[in-house]
Amino acid sequence: MALNFNIAMKNLYLFFLLAFNLNFYCQDTVGTLTYTTDAYNGYTLFSSGTSTETYLINNCGEVINQWTSNYTPGNSLYLLENGNLLRTGKIDNPSITIGGIGGIIELFSWDNTLLWQYTYSTSEVAQHHDIFPLPNGNILMLALSVMTGTEAIQAGRDPLKLSEGRLFNEQIIELEPLGANQANIVWEWNLKDHLIQDIDNTKDNFGVVADNPQLLNINFLNNNSSLGPANWIHANSIQYNETLDQIILSSRLLSEIYIIDHSTTTSEAASHSGGNYNKGGDFLYRWGNPKAYNHGDSDDQQLFGQHFPHWIEDGFTDAGKIILFNNGNAREVELSTNTPINYSSIDVIDPSETSGVYAYDAINGYSPTSPSWTYTDPIDVKLFYSPILSGAQRLPNGNTLICNGILGKFFEIDSNGDTVWEYVNPDSSSGIIKQGEPPSSNVVFRATKLPLNYPAFSGKNLTPGAPIQTEVNFNCSILSNLTVNISKILLHPTPVKDILNIKSQQTVSNIRIYNILGKVVKEFKSTYSLNLSNLKQGLYVIQFQIDGAIINKKIIKT
């Protein structure tokens, strides 16, 4: 009975998140929902997790280009500077069935011609989650390989933590594409070469965990399971820094990120010396969960199932620092009920790096102790949450693009945390979502916004087509026809008890107040003073039109 009640409450909360975060209260439920002049004018690349289509859209949600594959994503994709699309695809692999499995890499021309594909999927290995196009034309590929139970125990795994009789080793492989469907493996790194354990001095990798932060404790499971499933790492991202010649790797289940040296040879990458930093393939840096290497406890944990850590580009706000989507699974506990509190954040961390070398303290571990910049929902942190998928990207104008993967929603915030652009993916497992219907099954692994002067667009036909969805209820015009500056729209007082005042230099019209279930509870026209005295206490959304743009803001009624 109690279990059913808990499930019902969880479902109710998920419905609340869906209804509120996806603008269920709006007339439009998919496509572009909010667009102001403070948004960065670029083209956004994404693929729905349940669709074979890849889209490039403008800020109005109009399709600039579209590619069609025979495979759903597996999971990442990139638009190369020459206009080609590099993507992963998911193929059936009954032997390796983790979430995020892929197996095939494809290269399409701008006009959707398949140029090259490469399959890495057998009973022993499989590409998954991410790839990365290197400047030299090669491709980094994130993959799994299978360690037998015998191999795992010899490496130091506790036999009691080997419930599936095998372990998955994370590997990074550099491919040199050849012909139409071949590749040379020119470099390789394997996590199994960089392990430590402290339970059995008769097995490999025995040592003191706290004295070896450059190695991964093969018996640390981060409370995910006491039985030790094969998928104990679940790496979900690799990204590359050309200046440092380093790779950053993300482990969702261990809630850590790792940086390794790419300048090594394959043999050096399997060792503990060599390369630019003379550490071979050992970790140059790790962060997020210091208890993983015996440098702290649960109170020191900073990451919770994170996705897409990567270096912010030179010339951007916080350049050289690392930005990531911190999914926030069970990151806090409600003391009165002992139940987990889930909420996501966008975090920027400064790893204290000098010429590719990272500061390390033998007592406190790797810095920093906390992020240098964080975004959470400004009204209630629990309103922004994606348990899986997702990412964030710092944009040239200082804004941040955020992909809430589980909701298929992208939104862009300015430096004040105000939402200046908002889009919901209309492509779902059951087809294109009709305007006005609540979105579902429209997950997105990652979204990336590219500048208008990105080299891939040179000489291409960029005439906008129709939006992905079939109906659009407000007239969206690209930037030059919009005059809304959301940072100059002020609501006061907030929270509000009786009268809410709107201060704006533009004409405000068609004001609606929505409750959290999407019902219109108040409507106003051509006024800047709203009487909300008869509303119940709680969270509401005010939606208003200003010079053709739709703006949504959250308010609290006391």
Side-chain angles (χ1 to χ4, degrees):
M1 184 73 174
L3 178 61
N4 289 337
F5 175 77
N6 290 335
I7 292 173
M9 292 302 294
K10 183 179 288 186
N11 289 339
L12 180 62
Y13 183 66
L14 287 174
F15 172 77
F16 167 78
L17 285 177
L18 179 67
F20 192 85
N21 279 319
L22 285 181
N23 290 302
F24 189 44
Y25 43 78
C26 297
Q27 190 175 10
D28 282 1
T29 55
V30 291
T32 298
L33 304 180
T34 299
Y35 180 29
T36 79
T37 52
D38 289 336
Y40 181 68
N41 192 10
Y43 297 139
T44 301
L45 180 74
F46 72 97
S47 182
S48 183
T50 56
S51 169
T52 58
E53 302 300 310
T54 298
Y55 301 99
L56 185 71
I57 60 169
N58 63 17
N59 280 352
C60 282
E62 298 165 327
V63 176
I64 301 299
N65 202 27
Q66 183 173 342
W67 296 264
T68 303
S69 171
N70 291 323
Y71 307 97
T72 55
N75 280 288
S76 64
L77 48 89
Y78 299 84
L79 186 62
L80 307 184
E81 290 190 352
N82 62 4
N84 291 342
L85 177 74
L86 182 68
R87 74 183 298 276
T88 56
K90 181 179 181 179
I91 57 180
D92 183 50
N93 187 329
S95 298
I96 303 176
T97 58
I98 70 163
I101 201 69
I104 191 167
I105 304 174
E106 299 178 302
L107 183 68
F108 289 89
S109 68
W110 177 267
D111 63 3
N112 200 41
T113 299
L114 181 62
L115 303 174
W116 173 81
Q117 63 180 13
Y118 179 75
T119 300
Y120 194 76
S121 180
T122 69
S123 61
E124 299 297 322
V125 299
Q127 177 273 328
H128 67 97
H129 283 93
D130 208 0
I131 54 177
F132 190 92
L134 293 173
N136 64 0
N138 291 348
I139 300 165
L140 290 178
M141 175 179 66
L142 179 61
L144 292 175
S145 69
V146 175
M147 297 175 66
T148 66
T150 300
E151 290 172 332
I153 292 172
Q154 184 60 41
R157 169 68 78 150
D158 183 345
L160 298 178
K161 295 181 177 180
L162 199 63
S163 60
E164 297 179 31
R166 62 178 184 169
L167 281 187
F168 291 153
N169 161 61
E170 298 286 354
Q171 57 181 192
I172 303 173
I173 294 173
E174 182 175 343
L175 301 172
E176 177 190 25
L178 293 176
N181 54 14
Q182 300 294 319
N184 283 333
I185 295 178
V186 298
W187 182 84
E188 184 174 340
W189 175 90
N190 289 274
L191 183 57
K192 66 182 181 181
D193 297 322
H194 307 282
L195 302 173
I196 192 168
Q197 54 93 11
D198 57 4
I199 66 166
D200 190 342
N201 62 7
T202 68
K203 298 297 188 294
D204 298 341
N205 307 310
F206 183 77
V208 179
V209 172
D211 292 344
N212 292 275
Q214 76 280 8
L215 304 174
L216 184 68
N217 183 358
I218 191 174
N219 293 303
F220 178 72
L221 300 179
N222 197 30
N223 299 321
N224 290 300
S225 171
S226 61
L227 299 178
N231 182 34
W232 64 297
I233 302 295
H234 197 92
N236 56 28
S237 172
I238 50 171
Q239 297 290 295
Y240 177 71
N241 185 313
E242 181 179 8
T243 301
L244 301 176
D245 202 7
Q246 295 177 357
I247 299 168
I248 189 167
L249 174 73
S250 170
S251 168
R252 175 175 177 262
L253 292 182
L254 301 188
S255 292
E256 278 198 293
I257 60 175
Y258 314 105
I259 293 177
I260 63 171
D261 187 359
H262 175 254
S263 72
T264 58
T265 64
T266 294
S267 60
E268 288 172 337
S271 75
H272 311 293
S273 62
N276 291 341
Y277 307 98
N278 200 31
K279 287 193 174 184
D282 288 347
F283 300 151
L284 303 177
Y285 177 76
R286 66 194 301 176
W287 194 81
N289 198 4
K291 65 181 178 180
Y293 57 106
N294 294 354
H295 274 67
D297 55 29
S298 297
D299 292 337
D300 300 303
Q301 185 173 344
Q302 296 288 323
L303 296 181
F304 302 85
Q306 75 291 331
H307 282 74
F308 194 36
H310 62 282
W311 288 273
I312 297 174
E313 294 182 46
D314 291 343
F316 291 20
T317 302
D318 290 321
K321 297 179 183 180
I322 296 168
I323 188 170
L324 53 84
F325 191 105
N326 196 354
N327 293 75
N329 308 327
R331 70 194 301 165
E332 294 183 13
V333 174
E334 175 60 52
L335 296 180
S336 61
T337 61
N338 198 34
T339 56
I341 299 175
N342 304 318
Y343 66 91
S344 298
S345 62
I346 309 304
D347 294 337
V348 172
I349 64 170
D350 186 351
S352 300
E353 167 266 325
T354 303
S355 300
V357 177
Y358 299 87
Y360 171 75
D361 181 87
I363 302 299
N364 300 312
Y366 290 98
S367 61
T369 56
S370 60
S372 60
W373 181 90
T374 293
Y375 169 84
T376 57
D377 187 274
I379 299 297
D380 183 345
V381 293
K382 294 188 293 294
L383 294 177
F384 173 46
Y385 177 55
S386 181
I388 58 175
L389 313 169
S390 310
Q393 175 195 7
R394 187 56 53 82
L395 299 174
N397 66 346
N399 290 354
T400 303
L401 178 70
I402 300 170
C403 172
N404 186 321
I406 197 68
L407 300 179
K409 175 183 178 180
F410 328 139
F411 64 103
E412 185 180 328
I413 59 170
D414 63 14
S415 58
N416 297 316
D418 290 321
T419 299
V420 297
W421 183 72
E422 197 171 18
Y423 181 90
V424 173
N425 168 35
D427 193 346
S428 74
S429 59
S430 57
I432 303 303
I433 300 167
K434 293 182 179 179
Q435 195 66 272
E437 293 183 351
S440 63
S441 301
N442 63 333
V443 299
V444 174
F445 179 67
R446 188 186 297 164
T448 305
K449 185 173 271 193
L450 301 167
L452 299 181
N453 63 356
Y454 185 62
F457 305 138
S458 177
K460 303 296 192 302
N461 180 5
L462 303 175
T463 304
I468 301 169
Q469 73 278 13
T470 54
E471 305 91 2
V472 179
N473 293 320
F474 80 95
N475 183 23
C476 180
S477 302
I478 292 295
L479 221 56
S480 59
N481 295 326
L482 289 170
T483 57
V484 179
N485 187 334
I486 196 170
S487 64
K488 296 181 180 179
I489 301 168
L490 302 177
L491 303 179
H492 64 94
T494 55
V496 59
K497 181 178 180 182
D498 296 312
I499 305 298
L500 178 69
N501 298 297
I502 302 174
K503 183 178 180 181
S504 173
Q505 296 178 354
Q506 291 89 12
T507 301
V508 178
S509 61
N510 298 328
I511 303 168
R512 292 179 176 179
I513 308 293
Y514 294 83
N515 64 18
I516 61 174
L517 296 179
K519 181 180 178 181
V520 177
V521 294
K522 281 280 189 179
E523 290 192 74
F524 303 90
K525 290 185 180 295
S526 302
T527 180
Y528 294 83
S529 182
L530 314 181
N531 188 343
L532 307 181
S533 58
N534 63 347
L535 289 184
K536 296 179 181 179
Q537 295 182 10
L539 186 62
Y540 295 86
V541 169
I542 177 171
Q543 178 192 100
F544 44 90
Q545 291 185 352
I546 299 182
D547 294 343
I550 290 182
I551 308 299
N552 300 303
K553 284 180 173 286
K554 301 167 189 174
I555 56 173
I556 293 178
K557 171 67 168 61
T558 59

